[in-house]
């Protein structure tokens, strides 16, 4: 069964950093683009970043460009999101998800990031 | 960037009755390869989103056949033929035709 498992969320102060991880199983990780999508409390879905099969290309939404870095380790079936200079507006549930045929199919369970002093 | 607009924002439904959600894109979603990359997702309360439909009208495995997708160009619809209690949640459309920024609609909340 295809199942991404997100982790790494928590409470962090404004200006702080956090690294999210996602481990996947059930498919050949290196065959697929992967993405991070977030959902602020009570709000909709926002694709913030994706990464190609061999770590290229990468994409960042304007809201996170220059502060967040996506990466992957195909040997470990793992996806990462390094988040720096965090702001209150980055508070959200962050989902790891597989990109396939210009759509998104399997989503992780989400990990909550709270930015607050 | 392509803007996806859903309506209505909130949809009160009656069990056993049909329901319909609209999604409109600011640009045509027909790709140069002839495909139209419009997907629909369901997010039940407290759960991760789940894809229901891809490429306008293809149902994912395990999705009940009461869900169907239709439309073309810039105008798309998700139909539920007979609403069941488990269909309560928020529904999102998403375009995958125009990269790099794949974009979601704002969501439609379906409630009994």
């Amino acid at each position: 069964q295809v199942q991404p498992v997100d982790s790494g969320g928590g409470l962090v102060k404004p200006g702080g950093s956090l690294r999210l991880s996602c481990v996947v199983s059930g498919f050949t990780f290196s065959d697929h683009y992967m993405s991070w999508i977030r959902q602020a409390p009570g709000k909709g879905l926002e694709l913030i970043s994706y990464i190609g099969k061999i770590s290229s290309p990468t994409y960042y939404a304007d809201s996170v460009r220059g502060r967040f870095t996506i990466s992957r380790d195909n040997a470990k079936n793992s996806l990462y999101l390094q988040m720096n200079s965090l702001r209150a507006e980055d508070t959200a549930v962050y989902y790891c998800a597989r990109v396939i045929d210009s759509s998104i199919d399997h989503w992780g369970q989400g990990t909550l990031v709270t930015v607050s002093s | 960037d392509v803007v996806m607009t859903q309506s209505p924002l909130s949809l009160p439904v009656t069990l056993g009755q049909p329901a319909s959600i609209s999604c409109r894109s600011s640009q045509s979603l027909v790709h140069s390869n002839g495909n139209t990359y419009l997907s629909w997702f369901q997010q039940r309360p407290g759960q991760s989103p789940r894809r229901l439909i891809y490429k306008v009208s293809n149902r994912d495995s395990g999705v009940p056949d009461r869900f169907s997708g239709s439309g073309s160009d810039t105008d798309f619809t998700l139909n539920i033929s007979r609403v069941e209690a488990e269909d309560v949640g928020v529904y999102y459309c998403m375009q995958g035709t125009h990269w790099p920024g794949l974009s979601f609609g704002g969501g439609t909340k379906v409630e009994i």
Side-chain angles (χ1 to χ4, degrees):
Chain A
Q1 179 168 345
V2 177
Q3 183 60 58
V5 178
D6 315 307
S7 64
L11 175 63
V12 61
K13 289 182 168 52
S17 297
L18 213 52
R19 190 194 196 209
L20 306 184
S21 298
C22 171
V23 179
V24 307
S25 59
F27 66 94
T28 304
F29 182 68
S30 57
D31 281 351
H32 296 277
Y33 280 47
M34 294 294 296
S35 65
W36 288 101
I37 297 160
R38 72 181 180 183
Q39 186 171 36
K43 301 296 184 183
L45 301 169
E46 179 189 17
L47 175 77
I48 58 169
S49 186
Y50 61 71
I51 186 167
K53 301 175 190 178
I54 50 171
S55 299
S56 180
T58 58
Y59 163 82
Y60 299 96
D62 289 346
S63 55
V64 306
R65 188 174 296 120
R67 300 186 298 123
F68 291 10
T69 303
I70 191 171
S71 61
R72 65 190 294 163
D73 185 336
N74 287 344
K76 295 182 178 178
N77 285 356
S78 294
L79 177 72
Y80 306 102
L81 186 69
Q82 177 65 43
M83 304 187 295
N84 298 332
S85 303
L86 283 161
R87 306 166 179 166
E89 54 265 36
D90 295 319
T91 294
V93 175
Y94 287 72
Y95 297 99
C96 155
R98 183 173 78 166
V99 181
I100 187 167
D101 199 15
S102 292
S103 183
I104 290 170
D105 60 355
H106 296 282
W107 300 62
Q109 83 286 1
T111 186
L112 176 63
V113 172
T114 303
V115 185
S116 174
S117 54
Chain B
D1 286 1
V2 178
V3 176
M4 306 297 291
T5 303
Q6 289 183 232
S7 61
L9 251 56
S10 177
L11 181 60
V13 297
T14 303
L15 295 178
Q17 294 300 304
S20 182
I21 299 170
S22 170
C23 174
R24 290 198 167 121
S25 58
S26 60
Q27 300 177 36
S28 173
L29 297 188
V30 181
H31 193 275
S32 56
N33 66 12
N35 289 317
T36 300
Y37 296 103
L38 187 284
S39 305
W40 288 97
F41 300 85
Q42 174 195 61
Q43 188 176 31
R44 291 172 172 151
Q47 295 187 14
S48 303
R50 163 201 182 197
R51 193 177 68 177
L52 301 175
I53 302 283
Y54 61 96
K55 284 193 274 191
V56 181
S57 59
N58 295 275
R59 251 190 321 272
D60 272 279
S61 174
V63 174
D65 60 8
R66 64 179 181 274
F67 289 95
S68 63
S70 63
S72 62
D73 199 25
T74 62
D75 208 340
F76 304 92
T77 302
L78 176 70
N79 288 299
I80 310 174
S81 59
R82 294 172 305 279
V83 173
E84 297 191 6
E86 65 179 18
D87 299 336
V88 165
V90 182
Y91 291 77
Y92 297 92
C93 60
M94 189 205 84
Q95 71 82 18
T97 296
H98 298 281
W99 290 58
L102 311 183
S103 44
F104 290 92
T108 295
K109 186 173 185 179
V110 171
E111 47 199 354
I112 306 293

